[in-house]
């Protein structure tokens, strides 16, 4: 089977990347080991949610996926509050003050995945091969050869690894990865609230970790509590009523009584830095290329920015240019380096700063929140960085 480009992984990043190449004149194969379950009418809420930045929303519009989402299941973040562990230090970000309609849109993972998948299977330039198990990958001088476990062989000029944090593609070609587990787990769950959230996303930086309540449509919120793994296990063992009480106490009852509407689930957290984003005839995007702490809600947004940039470089290549050309891929790597390094550095530094029991450091971090809060220009700069 001959293609121009093979994408391994049809998660949010891999699927959007393939869709973004609709005018690139490339024949694309998208291979995934599984098929996502399709979204059907339902009244439950996915506990896996994303804060989609305005830049990512625009990209998903261009991919033809955003317009397929049910707007009744989306929720706008109009204000964001970050509260320090002395409970008096607060940092506020407002969409209105920044001249924006909203800071982000909260969307459920399964709804996004389903919209992207439906757009993918309809796209004329894409052949979806799923479920399929990858067996062997060989990078030759003028082509890439991928063997599947069922004996099929795919050839292309370029292969893109979008197969997540444990990337098979990255392992096959021996790109080194520096993995640092945070000894933390993110506990996620959704709650019905007694009081309205008014479009405010609130994040508490506490000694027990970072706890975020993000607005869902109606009187509902989604929680992401990144905390020490032993504490996470304790939270996961609680019955729903006790978990609601525990989260209510940790958030000082700001939304009144809470009731669990989606049971708790857990995600272990780690930081990953890869040595290279490219090799001749190969590029990595999304979590295959970087993995960051979710405290800034930026992981998938960072991945969408990889997808957008690589698609831009490939679409702008001359008609005669081999899409696996190393000089083209270098352009992608250079363009993405700074954004990725900044996000890794910022999320890692914040995680360390707020994960320390050191008293002077505690004073300093709370002072820092108050200081930034008094600097509108700096706050606007931070917002611009986050919405890209
Ligand atoms: C608790 C938590 C909360 C988060 N919240 C946010 C948030 O609010 N905002 C945000 O921007 N980010 C957030 N993130 C980060 C976000 O989840 C990830 O960055 C994002 O899911 C990465 O997408 P991806 O498509 O790169 O990888 P994945 O979602 O991991 O997709 C990989 C795809 O590759 C396929 N695959 C894997 N191996 C193979 C193989 N060998 N062969 C074929 N296919 C394969 C898989 O089936 C899958 O479809 C959060 C993360 C966590 C843990």
């Amino acid at each position: 089977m001959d293609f121009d480009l093979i994408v391994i992984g049809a998660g949010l990043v891999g699927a959007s990347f393939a869709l973004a190449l609709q005018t690139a004149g490339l024949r694309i194969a998208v291979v995934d080991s599984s098929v996502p379950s399709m979204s059907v009418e339902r009244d439950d809420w996915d506990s896996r949610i994303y804060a989609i930045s305005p830049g990512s929303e625009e990209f998903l519009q261009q991919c033809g996926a955003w317009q397929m989402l049910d707007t009744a299941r989306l929720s706008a973040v109009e204000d964001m509050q970050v509260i320090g562990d002395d409970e008096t230090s607060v940092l506020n970000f407002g969409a209105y003050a920044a001249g924006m309609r909203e800071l982000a849109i909260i969307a459920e993972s399964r709804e996004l995945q389903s919209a992207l998948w439906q757009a993918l299977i309809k796209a004329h330039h894409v052949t979806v091969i799923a479920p399929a198990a990858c067996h062997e990958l060989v990078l030759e001088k003028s082509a890439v050869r991928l063997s599947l476990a069922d004996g099929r062989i795919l050839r292309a000029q370029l292969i893109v690894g979008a197969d997540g944090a444990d990337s098979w593609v990255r392992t096959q070609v021996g790109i080194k990865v520096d993995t640092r587990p945070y000894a933390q787990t993110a506990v996620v769950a959704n709650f019905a609230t007694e009081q309205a959230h008014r479009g405010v996303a609130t994040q508490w930086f506490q000694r027990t970790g970072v706890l975020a309540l993000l607005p869902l449509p109606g009187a509902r919120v989604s929680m992401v509590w990144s905390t020490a793994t032993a504490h996470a296990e304790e939270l996961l063992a609680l019955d729903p009523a006790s978990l609601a009480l525990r989260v209510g106490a940790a958030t000082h009852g700001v939304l009144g009584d809470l009731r669990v509407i989606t049971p708790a689930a857990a995600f272990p957290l780690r930081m990953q830095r890869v040595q290279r984003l490219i090799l001749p005839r190969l590029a990595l995007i999304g979590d295959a290329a970087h993995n960051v702490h979710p405290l800034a809600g930026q992981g998938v947004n960072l991945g969408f920015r990889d997808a957008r940039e690589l698609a831009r470089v490939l679409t702008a290549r001359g008609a005669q240019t081999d899409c696996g050309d190393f000089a083209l891929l270098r352009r992608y790597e250079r363009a993405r380096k700074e954004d990725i390094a900044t996000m890794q550095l910022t999320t890692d530094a914040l995680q360390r700063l707020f994960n320390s029991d050191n008293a002077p450091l505690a004073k300093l971090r709370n002072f820092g929140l108050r200081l930034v809060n008094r600097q509108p220009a700096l706050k606007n700069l931070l917002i611009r960085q986050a919405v890209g």
Side-chain angles (χ1 to χ4, degrees):
M1 298 171 81
D2 282 341
F3 297 92
D4 298 307
L5 166 61
I6 302 167
V7 183
I8 307 286
L12 301 185
V13 175
S16 63
F17 168 64
L19 289 167
L21 286 164
Q22 64 236 16
T23 60
L26 298 171
R27 289 161 306 133
I28 304 171
V30 176
V31 181
D32 202 294
S33 48
S34 60
V35 173
S37 58
M38 284 299 105
S39 164
V40 284
E41 287 275 310
R42 33 180 148 202
D43 52 13
D44 62 332
W45 295 83
D46 192 357
S47 60
R48 191 67 191 260
I49 54 98
Y50 299 109
I52 301 294
S53 71
S56 297
E57 178 188 337
E58 191 191 327
F59 173 63
L60 291 169
Q61 287 263 10
Q62 288 159 6
C63 294
W66 189 259
Q67 36 290 54
M68 291 166 74
L69 294 173
D70 176 359
T71 50
R73 300 192 75 98
L74 302 175
S75 178
V77 177
E78 284 155 25
D79 285 287
M80 194 176 158
Q81 266 200 337
V82 182
I83 302 174
D85 53 4
D86 64 356
E87 281 139 43
T88 57
S89 302
V90 178
L91 173 56
N92 287 300
F93 295 102
Y96 183 74
M100 296 164 60
R101 207 179 43 195
E102 66 260 324
L103 296 173
I105 300 272
I106 304 296
E108 295 159 279
S109 181
R110 71 172 180 221
E111 298 293 312
L112 275 172
Q113 185 68 72
S114 170
L116 282 163
W117 185 264
Q118 285 175 45
L120 204 60
I121 52 181
K122 282 192 212 133
H124 295 302
H125 63 293
V126 176
T127 302
V128 177
I129 304 175
C134 295
H135 175 61
E136 191 188 31
L137 172 63
V138 181
L139 301 182
E140 295 164 349
K141 194 163 184 298
S142 57
V144 174
R145 189 161 48 83
L146 172 74
S147 323
L148 302 181
D150 62 10
R152 280 181 286 180
I153 294 179
L154 279 64
R155 280 177 205 283
Q157 294 174 331
L158 172 65
I159 188 155
V160 172
D163 49 348
D166 297 315
S167 173
W168 175 84
V169 173
R170 197 180 60 209
T171 309
Q172 286 289 300
V173 298
I175 293 182
K176 288 211 178 76
V177 56
D178 171 19
T179 302
R180 195 150 46 76
Y182 277 123
Q184 281 190 336
T185 296
V187 179
V188 298
N190 295 334
F191 297 89
T193 64
E194 189 186 7
Q195 284 163 32
H197 52 61
R198 300 188 316 276
V200 181
T202 311
Q203 209 171 17
W204 289 263
F205 279 84
Q206 302 171 335
R207 281 184 192 86
T208 50
V210 185
L211 199 174
L213 290 185
L214 306 166
L216 288 176
R220 303 180 187 94
V221 288
S222 190
M223 173 189 82
V224 183
W225 194 345
S226 307
T227 187
T229 298
H231 183 226
E233 279 164 9
E234 193 191 319
L235 294 172
L236 289 163
L238 294 173
D239 62 74
S242 308
L243 178 66
L245 282 176
R246 187 74 77 88
V247 174
T251 56
H252 312 285
V254 287
L255 293 174
D257 286 344
L258 303 177
R259 180 171 53 83
V260 174
I261 54 170
T262 317
F267 300 91
L269 300 179
R270 60 193 157 163
M271 147 96 139
Q272 281 187 327
R273 280 198 186 95
V274 304
Q275 192 187 31
R276 303 247 24 202
L277 297 186
I278 58 161
L279 285 179
R281 308 214 162 274
L282 178 140
L284 299 176
I285 59 175
D287 273 18
H290 40 69
N291 204 339
V292 295
H293 195 285
L295 63 83
Q298 285 293 323
V300 84
N301 289 302
L302 202 57
F304 286 140
R305 296 205 283 274
D306 300 340
R308 187 171 57 189
E309 181 58 27
L310 186 55
R312 193 192 63 73
V313 167
L314 295 178
T315 304
R317 84 196 188 288
Q320 303 304 320
T321 312
D322 170 355
C323 69
D325 180 48
F326 194 58
L328 269 185
L329 301 180
R330 282 284 295 142
R331 249 178 254 164
Y332 159 69
E333 188 181 54
R334 271 200 302 270
R336 293 301 301 137
K337 243 181 169 164
E338 190 185 323
D339 185 23
I340 294 171
T342 306
M343 195 56 69
Q344 284 171 329
L345 205 75
T346 316
T347 49
D348 193 49
L350 280 173
Q351 197 283 138
R352 281 163 190 258
L353 184 63
F354 282 90
N355 201 29
S356 164
D357 280 336
N358 180 302
L361 209 58
K363 271 196 177 155
L364 185 71
R365 65 196 175 209
N366 290 314
F367 172 72
L369 283 182
R370 293 195 300 273
L371 189 70
V372 175
N373 201 39
R374 289 198 293 267
Q375 313 288 330
L378 179 57
K379 287 207 293 187
N380 271 342
L381 196 76
L382 291 171
I383 291 177
R384 300 277 153 223
Q385 179 75 25
V387 300

